[in-house]
């Protein structure tokens, strides 16, 4: 039978495995045992669904055998097994090739040196925990013999690496999968023989697979005295070797072990292997509740942003266990959307094993657990913020956007739950602050929490209105996320302090009596000019006015009504929402020479009008550009500029 070729992606990954310089090659065992455990889970789950009573959980076992002479390690499970098609599909194509493509795209691929390549490979192995293919880090030949549950025929898949694989009919007793690894020869700095030693296997299973809930067994050599009679005085008894099947893992779920007996590293290892991550979790929460609904929960906040987090592929949910048995992998009812980054599990003895997904959705108990967990997560985040601000900031940088979406999508309903978790960059502190910290610092007569939306801290710093606010010593929060303003509009206020944008029209109530009066007089004196400017900019602004708040800049653009300039930008980026306009106000700085020159030009009667119109349009375009908006008629702008140059 001819060799079949691996899919391109798989081949590349396989190639990386074979040539890997990854230092933790030992993880292949964890990956293969984890696959075996999954296969047992699947069979059990399937039997629950179909009511098949022939399957007994107590028979489930994972076995490790070694043969030093043949240099082989064999990992056997009596799980669900694979059909011929499944062998081809699952092992001929790597399930995670999508992630591989993603990773490659984002790595700087220009560097083609061997070390750069090796580094990229290591990243990928670490990041995606490549599963089955990791066997090729230690083996030069891999044989998988499998028989699907309920099927009569077995098949054998064999590969010695990138040159392809074969699948052939085979003989096998019982359902399940048997994987034979032929270990590579030892090379400099690489000892593969150790994987055939009982001692090493024991260690690896303790380290990575102890919690696996099925027995991992191995035939181990032991010795005992040959006879029961006591040996002669001063002589050692004569010994004989015998073999005994031993279970190497304690099978005790980590969340059932006594808290004091579990080390941080244990949780970290558990998290990484169970949730396919390569970075330790940033936060671990473990909680047990006895009461109307009793449960234990073990929750993790990832240490970094999962690559697919803000994509449609990302699925929230916690694993659901009933007394240590997995009944659902991603139970959505247990975490709200705004905490969807939390991973982990809930184990409750009150849940029935064969409860269906539909029933779970309506399960009051589950909803109740979900509500408790939500509060628990909230408390933990607050604690984190207090204990380790730097860590919390990193977390907020990664997942803060989701919390803000939560405020927006709940129409402000989740305000009490979420608002005190927010962080914003502060103009005066020049770092991130909480709303509570802002309010604490507020001068007594300050009524509002001021904010300014914009793309980046740097760009916001360049806005005339920011400059002006800073000059006044006003603390302003920078809203640099698209969602910020939308979220804040939903909650409207925090601890009775309303939010106010300094990019919104200069409101009368923000001005002192004198300022108000001065502006009114200025407007009255220049009524004709203001009307002229507004007409010149017809359809682009709803108002042109003088403003006392600008420090140096001649103009700034603000908005009136609910929709801000930043919201206009955001909404226009969404398909189907184009053509949305904020009501713009062009504010003029009466102290600026450019404005004074405009007043003069306009005063020259008909002659000056044409030039005044050009200046007006240029000032407006300048304000648009500073606000990060685009000029809608660049050729007109060019003409206007030339007109002024040649004047
Ligand atoms: P992953 O486990 O992340 O899906 P792997 O490369 O480790 O990726 O495995 C690919 C697929 O092969 C698995 O999803 C599973 O369907 C199948 N598989 C691997 N090992 C076994 C096994 N021991 N029993 C049954 N199926 C298995």
């Amino acid at each position: 039978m001819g060799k079949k070729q691996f899919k391109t992606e798989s081949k590349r990954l396989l190639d990386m495995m074979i040539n890997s310089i990854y230092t933790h090659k030992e993880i292949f065992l964890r990956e293969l045992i984890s696959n075996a455990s999954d296969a047992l889970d699947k069979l059990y789950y399937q039997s629950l669904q179909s009511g098949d009573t022939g399957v007994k959980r107590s028979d489930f076992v994972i076995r490790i055998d070694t043969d030093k002479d043949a240099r082989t390690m064999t990992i056997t499970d009596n799980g669900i097994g694979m059909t011929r098609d499944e062998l081809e599909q699952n092992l001929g194509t790597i399930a995670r090739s999508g992630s591989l493509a993603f990773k490659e795209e984002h790595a700087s691929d220009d560097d083609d040196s061997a070390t750069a390549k090796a580094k990229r490979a290591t990243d990928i192995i670490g990041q995606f925990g490549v599963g089955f293919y990791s066997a090729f880090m230690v083996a030069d030949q891999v044989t998988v013999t499998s028989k699907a549950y309920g099927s009569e025929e077995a098949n054998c898949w064999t590969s010695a690496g990138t040159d392809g694989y074969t699948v052939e009919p085979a003989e096998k007793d019982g359902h399940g999968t048997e994987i034979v690894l032929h270990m590579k020869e030892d090379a400099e700095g690489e000892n593969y023989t150790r994987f055939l030693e009982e001692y090493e296997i024991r260690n690896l299973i303790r380290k990575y697979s102890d919690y696996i809930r099925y027995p991992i067994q191995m035939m181990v050599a032991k010795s005992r005295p040959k006879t029961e009679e006591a040996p002669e005085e001063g002589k050692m008894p004569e010994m004989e070797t015998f073999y005994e099947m031993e279970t190497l893992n304690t099978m005790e779920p980590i969340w059932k072990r006594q808290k004091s007996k579990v080390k941080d590293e244990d949780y970290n290892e558990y998290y990484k292997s169970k949730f396919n991550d390569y970075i330790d979790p940033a936060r671990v929460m473990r909680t047990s509740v006895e009461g109307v609904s009793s449960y234990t929960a073990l929750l993790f906040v990832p240490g970094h942003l999962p690559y697919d987090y803000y994509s449609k592929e990302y699925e929230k949910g916690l694993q659901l266990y009933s007394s240590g048995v997995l009944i659902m992998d991603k139970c959505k009812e247990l975490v709200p959307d705004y905490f969807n980054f939390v991973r982990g599990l809930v184990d409750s003895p009150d849940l029935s094993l064969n409860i269906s997904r539909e029933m779970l959705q309506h399960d009051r108990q589950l909803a109740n657990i979900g509500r408790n967990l939500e509060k628990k997560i909230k408390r933990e985040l607050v604690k984190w913020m207090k204990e380790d601000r730097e860590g919390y900031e990193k977390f907020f940088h990664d997942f803060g956007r989701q919390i803000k979406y939560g405020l927006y999508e709940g129409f402000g309903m989740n305000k009490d739950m979420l608002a005190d978790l927010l962080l914003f960059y502060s103009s005066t502190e020049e770092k991130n602050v909480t709303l509570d910290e802002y309010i604490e610092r507020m001068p007594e007569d300050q009524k509002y929490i001021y904010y300014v939306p914009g793309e980046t801290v740097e760009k916001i710093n360049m806005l005339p209105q920011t400059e002006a606010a800073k000059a006044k010593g006003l603390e302003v929060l920078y809203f640099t996320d698209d969602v910020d303003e939308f979220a804040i509009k939903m909650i409207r206020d925090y601890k009775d302090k309303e939010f106010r944008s300094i990019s919104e029209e200069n409101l009368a109530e923000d001005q002192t009596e004198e300022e108000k009066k001065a502006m009114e007089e200025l407007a009255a004196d220049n009524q004709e000019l203001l009307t002229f400017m507004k007409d010149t900019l017809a359809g682009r602004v709803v108002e042109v006015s003088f403003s006392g708040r600008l420090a140096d800049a001649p103009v700034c653009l603000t908005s009136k009504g609910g929709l801000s300039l930043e919201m206009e930008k955001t909404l226009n980026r969404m398909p189907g929402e184009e053509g949305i306009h904020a009501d713009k106000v062009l504010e003029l700085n009466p102290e600026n020479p450019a404005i004074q020159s405009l007043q003069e030009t306009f005063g020259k009667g008909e002659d000056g009008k044409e030039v005044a119109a050009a200046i007006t349009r240029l000032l407006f375009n300048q304000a648009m550009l500073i606000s990060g908006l685009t000029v809608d008629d660049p050729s007109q702008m060019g003409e206007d500029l030339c007109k002024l140059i040649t004047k």
Side-chain angles (χ1 to χ4, degrees):
M1 222 173 121
K3 270 209 175 114
K4 305 200 175 180
Q5 293 306 308
F6 287 102
K7 295 261 158 53
T8 323
E9 293 279 9
S10 309
K11 198 167 165 177
R12 262 161 62 210
L13 191 60
L14 205 54
D15 194 40
M16 277 182 206
M17 284 311 122
I18 293 165
N19 301 310
S20 165
I21 55 155
Y22 189 52
T23 42
H24 294 89
K25 292 188 176 175
E26 61 193 34
I27 60 131
F28 80 93
L29 188 58
R30 172 189 83 190
E31 300 288 316
L32 297 181
I33 289 178
S34 157
N35 280 350
S37 167
D38 289 348
L40 293 166
D41 277 345
K42 279 181 201 162
L43 179 56
Y44 187 62
Y45 192 66
Q46 180 182 302
S47 74
L48 283 181
Q49 300 280 309
S50 62
D52 181 347
T53 48
V55 175
K56 294 215 168 27
R57 223 171 164 264
S58 52
D59 295 340
F60 287 0
V61 63
I62 300 167
R63 262 192 67 164
I64 315 267
D65 294 285
T66 55
D67 181 334
K68 282 188 192 163
D69 296 331
R71 282 190 79 72
T72 57
M73 173 193 266
T74 306
I75 299 150
T76 316
D77 68 70
N78 52 358
I80 197 157
M82 285 178 271
T83 62
R84 188 193 167 90
D85 282 354
E86 283 165 345
L87 271 173
E88 289 235 6
Q89 261 175 23
N90 296 339
L91 309 184
T93 330
I94 175 92
R96 302 195 186 106
S97 56
S99 0
L100 178 66
F102 174 88
K103 178 71 197 170
E104 293 249 309
E105 234 173 69
H106 286 72
S108 54
D109 263 328
D110 336 337
D111 192 350
D112 234 18
S113 67
T115 40
K117 271 188 175 165
K119 161 106 184 38
R120 280 202 295 275
T122 303
D123 280 355
I124 292 171
I125 298 168
Q127 187 149 0
F128 300 110
V130 296
F132 171 74
Y133 282 3
S134 60
F136 287 94
M137 289 198 289
V138 297
D140 50 23
Q141 167 128 13
V142 179
T143 307
V144 182
T145 310
S146 197
K147 191 186 221 175
Y149 179 77
S151 163
E152 289 304 312
E153 58 163 68
N155 288 284
C156 175
W157 179 100
T158 308
S159 172
T162 34
D163 64 338
Y165 61 89
T166 56
V167 184
E168 281 164 3
E171 289 298 316
K172 188 183 178 309
D173 292 337
H175 54 89
T177 304
E178 178 191 277
I179 301 180
V180 182
L181 309 180
H182 182 269
M183 292 296 168
K184 291 182 183 175
E185 292 303 326
D186 293 344
E188 212 192 304
E190 299 282 13
N191 176 355
Y192 301 104
T193 309
R194 70 190 159 109
F195 298 126
L196 302 171
E197 307 286 351
E198 179 195 314
Y199 168 82
E200 180 79 1
I201 295 170
R202 240 177 224 288
N203 276 345
L204 292 180
I205 287 175
R206 275 273 164 185
K207 183 167 172 192
Y208 295 115
S209 311
D210 191 54
Y211 58 84
I212 293 281
R213 292 177 329 279
Y214 304 106
I216 304 169
Q217 297 186 331
M218 186 162 68
M219 196 63 96
V220 295
K222 295 189 170 166
S223 59
R224 63 183 167 204
K226 232 175 175 165
T227 57
E228 282 182 9
E229 288 158 37
E232 275 175 53
E233 267 294 308
K235 274 200 175 168
M236 294 292 282
E238 207 182 328
M239 303 296 279
E240 66 174 3
T241 303
F242 72 103
Y243 290 88
E244 197 178 57
M245 196 58 91
E246 191 180 319
T247 297
L248 305 179
N249 55 330
T250 63
M251 291 191 281
E252 190 180 20
I254 192 165
W255 63 93
K256 290 220 165 143
R257 266 185 252 164
Q258 225 179 318
K259 264 191 182 173
S260 59
K261 297 241 168 77
V262 191
K263 294 191 293 264
D264 289 351
E265 292 126 74
D266 298 335
Y267 286 126
N268 292 351
E269 274 308 326
Y270 179 80
Y271 166 78
K272 285 192 285 194
S273 66
K274 265 308 187 194
F275 297 96
N276 272 320
D277 206 342
Y278 65 107
I279 283 183
D280 286 343
R283 209 76 189 169
V284 181
M285 303 164 233
R286 179 173 157 180
T287 173
S288 289
V289 173
E290 302 279 334
V292 190
S293 27
S294 302
Y295 65 88
T296 299
L298 179 60
L299 308 178
F300 303 94
V301 177
H304 68 128
L305 198 64
Y307 73 94
D308 61 349
Y309 184 65
Y310 285 110
S311 79
K312 279 206 292 290
E313 273 75 61
Y314 185 82
E315 256 185 275
K316 70 163 183 173
L318 302 179
Q319 289 186 328
L320 190 59
Y321 287 82
S322 164
S323 302
V325 178
L326 184 70
I327 53 176
M328 195 188 290
D329 196 34
K330 288 224 159 130
C331 181
K332 292 189 174 62
E333 286 70 33
L334 289 170
V335 270
D337 279 346
Y338 43 84
F339 291 152
N340 70 353
F341 46 82
V342 173
R343 299 191 204 177
L345 57 96
V346 170
D347 189 353
S348 170
D350 306 339
L351 294 165
S352 148
L353 269 185
N354 38 14
I355 190 165
S356 75
R357 200 168 264 274
E358 293 71 50
M359 276 166 74
L360 275 174
Q361 269 168 7
H362 304 292
D363 193 288
R364 296 242 305 280
Q365 215 156 22
L366 217 54
N368 195 19
I369 297 176
R371 272 194 301 277
N372 283 345
L373 290 182
E374 180 180 359
K375 283 184 221 144
K376 167 82 188 164
I377 296 168
K378 163 67 190 280
R379 279 197 303 276
E380 189 68 24
L381 292 177
V382 170
K383 196 164 137 224
W384 189 4
M385 183 197 270
K386 294 203 170 112
E387 280 172 6
D388 164 27
R389 184 63 172 257
E390 207 178 311
Y392 182 82
E393 289 207 21
K394 157 90 175 68
F395 152 79
F396 195 79
H397 177 265
D398 290 341
F399 300 107
R401 190 131 60 102
Q402 191 62 22
I403 292 179
K404 296 171 192 172
Y405 282 133
L407 282 171
Y408 176 68
E409 278 163 3
F411 298 104
M413 238 163 35
N414 311 314
K415 182 162 128 182
D416 291 343
M417 178 60 79
L418 303 178
D420 54 346
L421 295 174
L422 298 176
L423 288 179
F424 295 107
Y425 182 87
S426 148
S427 62
T428 54
E429 302 300 300
E430 297 184 351
K431 61 174 192 202
N432 288 324
V433 301
T434 64
L435 294 175
D436 283 320
E437 286 159 0
Y438 182 98
I439 288 185
E440 225 159 83
R441 272 193 295 273
M442 259 166 95
E444 222 165 286
D445 57 346
Q446 187 179 326
K447 278 202 257 168
Y448 303 106
I449 300 174
Y450 290 102
Y451 69 86
V452 50
E455 272 163 59
T456 60
V457 168
E458 291 71 32
K459 283 192 183 173
I460 292 179
N461 273 331
M462 282 188 264
L463 290 173
Q465 53 268 47
T466 312
E467 221 175 34
K470 275 185 167 177
K472 267 187 166 172
L474 208 59
E475 179 170 5
V476 185
L477 301 176
Y478 290 15
F479 283 8
T480 47
D481 256 347
D482 284 353
V483 61
D484 285 342
E485 230 184 338
F486 291 90
I488 288 306
K489 298 243 169 195
M490 284 299 174
I491 65 173
R492 277 202 219 94
D493 57 41
Y494 181 72
K495 300 210 167 147
D496 293 331
K497 302 280 181 200
E498 266 180 56
F499 289 92
R500 171 139 308 173
S501 165
I502 63 163
S503 288
E504 255 162 47
E505 194 196 14
N506 207 0
L507 288 176
E509 49 197 301
D510 288 344
Q511 301 170 353
T512 64
E513 280 306 312
E514 287 142 63
E515 279 172 348
K516 221 190 287 183
K517 216 158 151 228
M519 286 308 127
E520 274 165 15
E521 271 170 30
L522 211 54
D525 293 349
N526 292 279
Q527 195 48 55
E528 218 182 315
L529 172 63
L530 294 178
T531 311
F532 171 79
M533 291 179 81
K534 190 175 156 187
D535 291 345
T536 306
L537 300 173
R540 296 171 174 186
V541 299
V542 294
E543 202 176 313
V544 180
S545 65
F546 281 103
S547 154
R549 67 163 144 183
L550 290 169
D552 293 326
V555 283
C556 81
L557 208 54
T558 58
S559 64
K560 212 176 164 158
L563 198 66
S564 76
L565 303 177
E566 284 309 307
M567 293 165 98
E568 169 182 319
K569 278 187 238 169
T570 306
L571 290 174
N572 280 326
R573 273 198 295 270
M574 296 180 184
E577 297 276 10
E578 301 89 353
I580 285 181
H581 291 291
D583 285 343
K584 300 185 185 67
V585 178
L586 183 65
E587 294 190 16
L588 312 176
N589 179 0
E591 308 294 331
N592 186 283
I595 301 300
Q596 287 161 355
S597 153
L598 171 62
Q599 281 169 309
E600 230 168 81
T601 313
F602 183 71
K604 286 185 189 148
E606 277 314 306
D607 288 351
K609 290 246 165 94
E610 208 179 313
V611 181
I615 297 177
T616 300
R617 282 190 297 266
L618 283 171
L619 286 172
F620 171 73
N621 284 339
Q622 174 180 341
M624 287 283 279
L625 290 171
I626 292 176
S627 295
L629 293 159
T630 48
V631 169
D632 49 13
D633 192 352
S635 58
Q636 172 77 59
M637 182 170 160
E639 275 174 39
D640 286 340
L641 266 173
C642 287
K643 193 174 285 159
L644 290 192
I645 293 167
T646 52
K647 190 176 76 154

